[in-house]
Amino acid sequence: MSRLSVELHQLYTHGRSLGTTFGKPHWPILDEFTRDLARAGFNRNKLPANTLRGRHVQALLNCWRKNNLHDTTIFVLVEVLRWWARAIDNPGAVLSDDRLRLQKPERSETDPFPVQVIYCCGCQKNVYARLTTGSEVYAHRADLRMTPFWKCDTCSNHVGCHHKSSDRTAPLGCIATAEIKNARKHIHAIFDPIWKQGLMTRDALYEQVGAAVGKEFHIADIRSIDEARTVYRIVRNIASAHKKAASQAA
């Protein structure tokens, strides 16, 4: 970790308990700030966390606007910057909403934190994903109107959520492109029958595929077509092995 990441993490875990109007910021957002500052030309290993200044804020704003982030996303990220500024006793480092030309979004106090850092396959990097609903991403689907989704405003791809669970806005993996989503469907077509037919448990099957690819694995985390092809071959071989064993036992 860079010096800035280490010191920001110390502020986050051991500093005063400060929130934003959206609740306590998520650590990955603060960590992503350090990468944005590096992209803007600042040296993360020579930038102490307690030296946040207006020039750093403006550099971040320029970066976010260049990436076509939604007004809501930018407003939330600036609120996190305000958290950082208060944590180092320098609230003046971040100017007022009016001076920064920010538009405050409408929301209720019970709404979940509306921005998460999620890997986007289209942008091939972590992005600030914005929480939205099916009314935006699937305007033709009335049944999905209130269903939560995370959207990358830079490339417009999105990912669904575990909306039927206790954490209904938890993302279903990374943000995939249409091509990668289609590749995942082909994998599911040979993956799902293996555990649904009782040949293996679903967890055991994921463990076997994970061992073959060398990491903890889930189909929803596939990030590229090359990775999808590799996984497809592995699952196809597992399915063929079970089919062969069944024919020999018959």
Side-chain angles (χ1 to χ4, degrees):
M1 294 176 70
S2 66
R3 173 183 181 177
L4 181 57
S5 292
V6 170
E7 293 186 5
L8 263 181
H9 195 262
Q10 290 173 344
L11 284 175
Y12 182 78
T13 55
H14 304 301
R16 64 178 68 174
S17 178
L18 298 171
T20 71
T21 55
F22 301 93
K24 186 176 182 180
H26 297 180
W27 161 246
I29 292 177
L30 288 162
D31 196 32
E32 197 63 25
F33 283 180
T34 71
R35 295 181 180 87
D36 285 342
L37 286 167
R39 295 182 189 108
F42 296 98
N43 188 330
R44 291 183 291 174
N45 288 312
K46 294 183 178 180
L47 182 63
N50 64 0
T51 58
L52 178 69
R53 298 292 185 270
R55 65 181 182 274
H56 304 125
V57 174
Q58 192 58 55
L60 290 170
L61 276 171
N62 291 342
C63 172
W64 300 334
R65 285 170 173 152
K66 181 180 178 180
N67 287 328
N68 297 319
L69 296 192
H70 193 278
D71 288 342
T72 295
T73 305
I74 293 177
F75 187 92
V76 173
L77 296 180
V78 171
E79 280 294 294
V80 178
L81 281 176
R82 294 191 197 286
W83 174 92
W84 180 358
R86 291 196 301 273
I88 61 171
D89 293 320
N90 185 22
V94 185
L95 299 177
S96 67
D97 294 345
D98 288 341
R99 293 187 66 181
L100 293 177
R101 296 182 289 113
L102 302 178
Q103 296 182 12
K104 186 174 182 178
E106 295 182 5
R107 68 186 305 276
S108 71
E109 293 183 357
T110 59
D111 288 345
F113 204 88
V115 176
Q116 273 199 37
V117 174
I118 304 175
Y119 184 85
C120 175
C121 301
C123 298
Q124 297 184 359
K125 64 178 182 179
N126 286 337
V127 299
Y128 301 107
R130 173 174 58 89
L131 185 63
T132 184
T133 62
S135 61
E136 177 181 355
V137 298
Y138 287 112
H140 62 290
R141 292 279 304 274
D143 58 315
L144 297 177
R145 188 172 64 87
M146 299 305 295
T147 303
F149 291 87
W150 291 99
K151 181 180 180 181
C152 171
D153 285 305
T154 301
C155 68
S156 295
N157 287 308
H158 57 269
V159 65
C161 301
H162 292 275
H163 65 278
K164 294 182 179 180
S165 70
S166 57
D167 187 2
R168 68 184 307 269
T169 60
L172 288 164
C174 57
I175 300 174
T177 62
E179 187 179 16
I180 292 174
K181 287 179 181 178
N182 189 51
R184 290 176 180 174
K185 289 178 182 177
H186 285 291
I187 294 171
H188 272 296
I190 57 173
F191 181 96
D192 292 348
I194 297 173
W195 63 268
K196 287 182 177 180
Q197 293 171 12
L199 302 175
M200 296 179 69
T201 66
R202 187 169 178 269
D203 288 346
L205 181 52
Y206 265 120
E207 286 180 9
Q208 186 170 342
V209 177
V213 298
K215 64 179 181 179
E216 187 174 342
F217 170 78
H218 195 285
I219 294 174
D221 292 325
I222 291 175
R223 297 185 173 190
S224 69
I225 292 299
D226 285 342
E227 184 180 3
R229 287 171 178 154
T230 297
V231 171
Y232 185 88
R233 287 193 294 268
I234 292 170
V235 177
R236 184 181 59 190
N237 290 338
I238 294 172
S240 296
H242 281 288
K243 185 176 180 179
K244 182 179 180 180
S247 64
Q248 290 175 344

